[in-house]
Amino acid sequence: MTGIGFHPFDLVSAAGIIAAAASIWLVWRYRKNTALSIWRTCTCVLLCLVFLQPEAVRNDLGARPELAVAVDVSGSMKHTGRLDTSLRALAALRHELENRYRVRYYAVAEHAVAAGSLDDIPGMKSPNGTALASSLEEIRRDGADSLSGILLFTDGNEQGPAVPARPSAGVPVTVVTPQARRAITDVAVRSAQIADFAFKNTPVEVRVTLDALGCNGRSVMLSIVREGSTPAVEAQKQVRFTQDRQNIEATLSFTPTASGEQRFRVEASPLEGEYSTENNTLGFGLDVVRDKLRVLFLCGQPGHEYAFLRHVLKTDPMIELVSFVILRNPENIALVSEDDLALIPFPVHELFTRDLFDFDVLILQNFTYRKFGFMPEYLAAIRRWVMEKGGGLLMSGGANAFGSGGWYATPVADVLPVTAPAQGEGFDESLFRASLIAPRHPLAAVSDDEKKCRAWWQEAPELDGIQLMEPKPGAEVIARHPFAETPLITAWEKGKGRAAAVASGTTWRWALASGTPEFYTAFWKNTVRWLANAGADRQLRMSFDRPRYYAGQDCTIRLRSKEAINGQALSVTVIAPSGKRSVLTPVPSGSREWTASFNFAASGMYRFTARLTRGGVEKAQAETVIEAADLDLRENSALDINDAACAELAANGGMVLDDAAFSAGHAAIAVKQTYRSVQEEKIPLWESSWLLALACLSLAGEWLFRKMKGIV
Amino acid sequence: MKRIITVTLCFILFCAPAFPLQQDRFVFGQLKYDGMWDPYPETWQDILEFIVTTTSIRCEGRRRVVSLDDPALFSTPFLVILGSGIFPALNERERASLRRFLSNGGTIFAEDSTGLKGSAFDGSFRREIAKAFPESRLKRLTPEHPVFRAYYLLRKAGGRRLTSPFIEGLDVGGRAALIYSQNDLIGAWAKDRLGNYLWECVPGGQTQRFEAQKLTQNILLYSVTGTYKSDAIHQQYLNRKLER
């Protein structure tokens, strides 16, 4: 009973009360018999009670608080025995809970599913995903305002989408973290942090985070493996665990030796008896760019053209030069033993089967393939390197270049911007001054000052001899012989690459005979850079927001262009594992940046191809492959109790307990204190017939007493 | 008939270039100056023959003699300066020309043909080089320098005389643009009309002569290959050979 209330007054009640009050006053005023006075007073009080209709009000708290008991039935709970532990702890305190609360049971994993009773939960389906926060929101919505608290048994292995910062607002959540029934040994690579891109031949660091469970005193070998047809271990490090539950960070360093978009994976060597080895690896992508342009310079014979050009390239800090010059032909006589010669074999096979694709530019200066055991496939490789890989090819003149070197009969001729005239390639033996045809071409821009640039070309020292050729349709002649209708410098874009031809091997004269060699240097640097920029994929970079994706997850793709967005259109094509193709339309998010979203509907490999176009012409392309892992891996990727996630779930006035503390505390959990009007109970005291009978008897008794005593 | 021959000769003399077109061929240039500039007028032929026989270099079959104020200097990327007497003081124009030649990519091999320490040529030549390149100076080239590996794998400097156990280089624009020897390398090639060597090589005899000839060839190769042999790709091979 928490209070007494009265009915509102009415006329009858008022008259009765006044009459009673008057009677009491008269008794006291004329009291001659004390016993009678007391009797009459009691009778009046009884009558007041009848007239005032008092009633008792009881606020009943039990209507017991409503409690949602949720048990995480996901794979990580089931496989580790934590589900059994949870159910046992619950069963032990079941009656205590049900006496104290009105209990509703739920099984939670990807969603909250209501269970008829605790006994139903073990038989419920155990899905692989876990979305705790959103499941709690479902329980809260299901319980509406009557819910006083949530008791959640979970390991906190949250895999679901982000949920508002305070889940289950207003309803405190008590999180009970069950201990695993059996000892679990597991190492999981949780994350691998690395820069978006790295420079080739420059060490790069990877910060790896490992979750270890039951590994105290044991070690794993952590490796960075470059994926590909022949995976290669790039770095290794031994990691020793010193605690049973440990989150440990290790930094590995390696030096990428090949450029381009590459896939790596972090691997932790499996331990004996490990619960899951699927979570021992984590893949990541790395865009390896060159801090330098790589130039392969092959020269058929030593000469001043080689020496001068080599010096330009070698002293350019932005160029990494690998050069070979043929110092001796088979017909030359060796006067000393091979050991006394500073000659090395020309690694033609390695160059054209393996190394070529690692270069940006290939210069063939006065070089013929015929003397060095060139296989036909090497020539095809050069063509493919230009057409498909964006390589930049330059052929420069001399007695062994172009037709004289036999190049027109090879696949390389396809990518050259010049060809032999119908009457065959000839040679003009005369001094001539180059005539500039395309002053705005990047190769010709030897100075930022256009006047200086034109002046230099007009006064450039004469060259000595030129090979007579014809430009191919589509090729641009940048400079030519002033009289003979033959191009000196010709360039074009071919496939994904670029190619240029310089029909004279005496451009060293531009350096030696000029007032300064700077224009000569600028010309060759322009040429190499123009050739190297053919790799359009470098204009566009694509990155993803997570190192690992699972089936069903969303991803955010970030695309960055070297050039401002204005006038450019970008599209991303995704090919799903099923072969289904979808096109994303990225949204600009900066002056040179776009973002796009994508959902990995199923597990498997997804190929993303981004294309940047301007005026309908493709300017750049970026491509990468991302794997969406299976849900099993997602669920098993972290088997340890996720304390942080548990604390977050209990943040709104709840608490986190382990199962032992829960049992010891006799299910002392956090609930909301609720007093609700609907639970108010009114007990009408005046309605008691005994009270009325007592009042009537008292009146009758008092009347008889007065009659007998003769009191008026 | 005489008139036709005269006109033809005039045409050849006035219209033909001062030197035959060299294209991409190596030209043996030699500096002419007031003084004893040509102590070995015939040796260039033997040197070029040696080069052509043993290497893939295409050579112009004649020596080109130029002076510092000759425009042809700038068509002659490799220049030899020999002397057995005082090297004359250069005027401003000649000094600028020398400076421009080396700065623009030309290479000079200079040698004191006396093979004597403290000779007149050595002092005067060093003085003129110091005036032309006050910011740089001649330095010893170590055995690792590409000039010792340009073709033959050499471990030390040779010459007709071993006046200095080294050769020197003047760094211009990041390369040894001028190489200077006091050991009379070219003298080791000199022959008389009967084909016999003019000078004994002391103290090493014929072995020392061959070393001098190999170093001469290396210097010429260096002028057309630059620092090629210092590239990383060569190092493992060359070091392995040197260890044998």
Side-chain angles (χ1 to χ4, degrees), chain A residues 332-350:
Chain A
N332 294 124
I333 297 168
L335 300 175
V336 295
S337 72
E338 285 296 318
D339 280 352
D340 290 328
L341 291 173
L343 306 181
I344 66 169
F346 179 41
V348 61
H349 181 72
E350 291 81 359

Side-chain angles (χ1 to χ4, degrees), chain A residues 92-421:
Chain A
L93 294 173
R94 176 181 188 170
H95 294 296
E96 204 163 339
L97 278 172
E98 289 179 355
N99 285 337
R100 203 181 299 167
Y101 308 100
R102 284 189 292 148
V103 179
R104 285 192 286 164
Y105 291 99
Y106 293 89
V108 297
E110 290 178 308
H111 299 283
V113 180
S117 72
L118 180 62
D119 301 328
D120 294 340
I121 292 178
M124 297 182 81
K125 191 180 173 190
S126 178
N128 279 319
T130 312
L132 295 171
S134 59
S135 294
L136 292 182
E137 288 303 302
E138 291 170 7
I139 292 173
R140 190 185 64 78
R141 284 197 296 273
D142 193 32
D145 292 337
S146 64
L147 193 61
S148 297
I150 299 175
L151 175 63
L152 172 66
F153 283 77
T154 184
D155 56 6
N157 189 353
E158 171 70 277
Q159 307 291 345
V163 169
R166 295 276 173 150
S168 300
V171 181
V173 179
T174 301
V175 178
V176 180
T177 54
Q179 299 307 302
R181 193 177 62 180
R182 61 175 183 273
I184 295 174
T185 299
D186 191 62
V187 176
V189 181
R190 183 197 284 179
S191 66
Q193 291 183 319
I194 190 168
D196 283 352
F197 66 92
F199 290 114
K200 191 186 168 199
N201 294 327
T202 302
V204 60
E205 284 191 346
V206 188
R207 277 182 23 213
V208 180
T209 307
L210 293 175
D211 288 334
L213 199 59
C215 301
N216 188 12
R218 302 176 76 174
S219 302
V220 293
M221 182 62 79
L222 205 56
S223 308
I224 304 287
V225 180
R226 180 163 48 83
E227 296 181 342
S229 53
T230 52
V233 176
E234 298 283 354
Q236 281 193 316
K237 191 174 196 174
Q238 188 109 12
V239 178
R240 186 173 178 77
F241 304 107
T242 55
Q243 296 168 27
D244 211 39
R245 284 176 61 189
Q246 195 169 9
N247 175 252
I248 200 165
E249 198 171 84
T251 302
L252 285 85
S253 175
F254 70 99
T255 304
T257 54
S259 58
E261 184 75 31
Q262 293 175 45
R263 293 292 300 173
F264 295 85
R265 66 173 182 266
V266 182
E267 274 185 7
S269 58
L271 291 170
E272 191 181 342
E274 193 171 347
Y275 170 74
S276 169
T277 55
E278 287 176 327
N279 56 10
N280 287 34
T281 62
L282 177 66
F284 63 89
L286 182 62
D287 189 7
V288 181
V289 297
R290 295 193 179 102
D291 54 344
K292 295 181 175 183
L293 300 177
R294 288 207 83 203
V295 178
L296 175 60
F297 185 2
L298 304 183
C299 179
Q301 66 184 46
H304 300 301
E305 186 74 351
Y306 172 78
F308 277 69
L309 180 51
R310 176 190 160 79
H311 184 66
V312 167
L313 302 177
K314 197 71 183 174
T315 53
D316 187 336
M318 297 305 293
I319 290 175
E320 184 183 337
L321 178 69
V322 175
S323 76
F324 293 92
V325 54
I326 307 303
L327 297 179
R328 186 179 66 169
N329 287 322
E331 63 269 23
N332 294 124
I333 297 168
L335 300 175
V336 295
S337 72
E338 285 296 318
D339 280 352
D340 290 328
L341 291 173
L343 306 181
I344 66 169
F346 179 41
V348 61
H349 181 72
E350 291 81 359
L351 280 178
F352 290 101
T353 56
R354 187 189 64 197
D355 299 337
L356 175 64
F357 290 83
D358 203 25
F359 286 95
D360 297 295
V361 175
L362 169 63
I363 300 175
L364 300 172
Q365 198 264 309
N366 194 18
F367 183 86
T368 176
Y369 70 93
R370 289 187 287 212
K371 292 181 181 175
F372 307 107
F374 259 63
M375 308 284 280
E377 53 263 37
Y378 303 162
L379 302 169
I382 295 175
R383 181 186 182 280
R384 197 169 66 249
W385 170 72
V386 173
M387 299 291 287
E388 298 172 14
K389 298 294 178 184
L393 174 68
L394 170 74
M395 189 171 284
S396 168
N400 295 314
F402 301 105
S404 309
W407 291 102
Y408 289 138
T410 71
V412 175
D414 288 350
V415 293
L416 287 176
V418 291
T419 189

